[in-house]
Each structure stands twice: as C-alpha cells, then as structure tokens.
C-alpha cells in the first residue's frame, strides 16, 4: 500500500509537469500538434503506478504471472493500433493503442492479485521504500534518456521526416532485445540462488552463447535482406531507412549478446 501511494503521488507530479511543459516541448520540436499527444500519453503515468503490485509476484519468483499482464497488454496494444491504422486514425492509432494496451495490463494484473490493495501510509515503511527505490529509479531515468535523447536530437536537427526514417530503422531491430529481457526475467533470479562462483560463471557463459546464437541469424538476415524487409513491412517510401536499419541490426545484436 505504501509503495502504491508513493507511485501515485510521483505519477501525479509527473503528469502535472508534463501537462505544463507539453506546449514548450512541442514548440522546441516545431510540432504544435504534439501537445495533445503528450497530454493523452500523460495518462499512462497513472497507469504505470497501478502496475506496482507486479512486485508481489516477482518477489515470489512467479514470473509467469508477473509477465502475463505485460504480454496480454502488448498484444492488445498491437491489435488496437493496427485496427485504428486501418481506419485512418494516423498517429492517434499509436497513442490509443498504447493506452489501451497499458489499461489491459493493469486490469489483468489487478484481477490476478490474491489480495486487494488500497493506498496506505506508514512513514517508516515509506522511508525504506524510498531508500531502496531511489537508486533504481535514477538508473531507469538515465536508461530512458539514453534510449530517447537521440530521437529528440534527430527530430530537432533533421526534422520529422528524418525522425520517421530513424524511428523505423531503430525500432524493429531493437524489438529483438525483448528476447534478452525475457531471458533476464527468468535467469537472473536463478543466478541469484547460485552460491558457487564457478557455477555462476559457467551459467553466465552458457547464457552468452545462447544469446549469440539467437541473435546472430536475425542479424545476418536483416543486414543482407534489409531492403526487401523494409519494402515488405513498411513500403517503398521507407527505403531511405535501409542503411540505418542495417547498422541498428548490428548494434541490437551486440547489445543482445553482451
């Protein structure tokens, strides 16, 4: 309850900051229409706060139930976004699809919980949660900036057309990293139970070998057949993204292995 309360408070603060700063960000990117998109996406910050109970399953190492809501949310996101694209909703198909997927994830998670949670407060517990969570939160913030500052720079310096090519080239190869995430969610908790340093080293080496084998074939095919892949998935007009796509296939593979 305390962690949920803290998340809701932080999310509300972040929502307020985003609502106020959205026009400034849109102006900096020369995209006035972006303001409404940012206002709608601010809702996802509240939905993220409602995903805190996932830690209940992760603490018990029940990663099947911990990850099932995310899987169903991703499927729901894709279905809604594709349907709205076909109906001609444009960029709003992505916004609505993302929010629908996140809402589905929250609903499934709360239906699966064996207990019913409500916001609560305990100053001592809150202090412990903050002490534990602050370094983790800062690392996530740094990771988010690392993953998104390039989009801001490309959009600002080269314009929205170049950003579109860059996004296509970046996104599909890095979807392969979901394989790495799935492996980490299962195997790193297993590693934490290993007491023998030699077993841990051997397990890590085997995991690295498996990652290399899993990533190498898609990388080779993506680099060799980048042009037909882009033409088939996105169409002829996205072919200028081919070279960047090939580069990111190699980058994503290296990240997935190491």
């Amino acid at each position: 309850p305390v962690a949920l309360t803290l998340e809701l408070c932080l999310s509300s603060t972040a929502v307020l900051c985003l609502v106020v700063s959205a026009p400034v960000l849109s102006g900096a990117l020369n995209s006035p229409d972006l303001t409404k998109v940012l206002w709608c996406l601010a809702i996802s910050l509240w939905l993220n706060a409602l995903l805190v109970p996932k830690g209940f399953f992760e603490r018990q190492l029940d990663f099947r139930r911990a990850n099932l809501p995310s899987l169903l949310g991703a499927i729901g996101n894709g279905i809604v976004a594709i349907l709205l694209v076909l109906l001609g909703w444009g960029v709003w198909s992505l916004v609505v699809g993302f929010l629908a997927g996140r809402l589905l994830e929250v609903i499934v998670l709360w239906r699966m919980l064996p207990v019913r949670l409500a916001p609560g407060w305990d100053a001592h517990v809150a202090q412990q949660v903050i002490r534990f969570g602050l370094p983790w939160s800062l690392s996530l913030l740094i990771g988010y900036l690392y993953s998104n500052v390039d989009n801001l720079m490309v959009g600002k310096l080269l314009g929205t057309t170049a950003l579109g090519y860059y996004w296509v080239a970046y996104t599909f190869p890095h979807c392969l990293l979901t394989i790495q995430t799935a492996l980490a969610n299962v195997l790193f908790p297993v590693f934490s139970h290993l007491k023998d340093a030699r077993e841990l080293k051997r397990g890590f080496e085997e995991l690295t070998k498996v990652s290399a084998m899993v990533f190498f074939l898609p990388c080779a095919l993506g680099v060799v057949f980048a042009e037909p892949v882009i033409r088939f998935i996105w169409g002829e007009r996205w072919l200028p993204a081919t070279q960047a796509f090939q580069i990111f296939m190699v980058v994503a593979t290296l990240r997935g292995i190491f």
Side-chain angles (χ1 to χ4, degrees):
V2 175
L4 179 62
T5 302
L6 286 171
E7 283 285 348
L8 288 173
C9 292
L10 290 173
S11 298
S12 299
T13 303
V15 167
L16 179 61
C17 292
L18 183 57
V19 168
V20 172
S21 62
V24 178
L25 294 173
S26 301
L29 294 173
N30 299 319
S31 301
D33 295 336
L34 187 61
T35 300
K36 295 179 181 178
V37 172
L38 291 174
W39 285 344
C40 291
L41 289 177
I43 299 172
S44 67
L45 298 176
W46 276 315
L47 296 176
N48 284 340
L50 296 177
L51 294 175
V52 167
K54 185 184 294 186
F56 180 85
F57 298 118
E58 293 174 341
R59 185 176 182 180
Q60 298 177 332
L61 300 183
D62 187 352
F63 293 99
R64 181 184 63 83
R65 287 195 289 177
N67 293 314
L68 180 61
S70 299
L71 174 62
L72 296 178
I75 294 173
N77 179 357
I79 292 174
V80 172
I82 291 172
L83 288 176
L84 293 180
V85 165
L86 295 176
L87 292 174
W89 280 47
V91 68
W92 288 102
S93 60
L94 300 178
V95 175
V96 176
F98 175 76
L99 292 177
R102 190 53 53 90
L103 178 61
L104 177 61
E105 184 178 352
V106 170
I107 292 173
V108 172
L109 175 63
W110 281 75
R111 291 287 295 176
M112 291 170 55
L113 287 175
V115 295
R116 286 292 169 259
L117 295 179
W121 188 254
D122 183 305
H124 178 67
V125 174
Q127 192 176 44
Q128 291 181 317
V129 171
I130 293 173
R131 188 182 299 117
F132 175 81
L134 186 59
W136 176 247
S137 300
L138 290 176
S139 69
L140 290 178
L141 177 62
I142 293 172
Y144 176 82
L145 294 175
Y146 167 79
S147 300
N148 291 277
V149 70
D150 52 344
N151 293 324
L152 179 64
M153 293 176 62
V154 171
K156 178 64 176 177
L157 298 176
L158 302 178
T160 55
T161 301
L163 178 60
Y165 294 139
Y166 183 85
W167 184 86
V168 166
Y170 179 94
T171 301
F172 185 77
H174 282 78
C175 285
L176 296 174
L177 293 179
T178 56
I179 301 173
Q180 181 193 51
T181 303
L183 287 173
N185 285 339
V186 176
L187 292 176
F188 285 166
V190 175
F191 286 168
S192 67
H193 289 286
L194 296 177
K195 304 301 181 182
D196 190 334
R198 289 175 298 179
E199 291 183 1
L200 182 61
K201 181 175 182 293
R202 184 166 59 251
F204 186 79
E205 289 173 349
E206 290 299 320
L207 176 59
T208 303
K209 291 178 183 177
V210 171
S211 297
M213 290 187 290
V214 168
F215 278 92
F216 179 75
L217 181 59
C219 175
L221 293 175
V223 171
V224 175
F225 299 105
E227 186 172 318
V229 166
I230 291 177
R231 183 183 289 111
F232 176 76
I233 297 178
W234 291 286
E236 197 83 22
R237 62 176 179 168
W238 294 100
L239 287 179
T242 300
Q243 193 171 26
F245 178 88
Q246 293 170 318
I247 294 172
F248 280 126
M249 283 299 300
V250 176
V251 171
T253 298
L254 293 175
R255 289 185 61 188
I257 293 174
F258 296 106

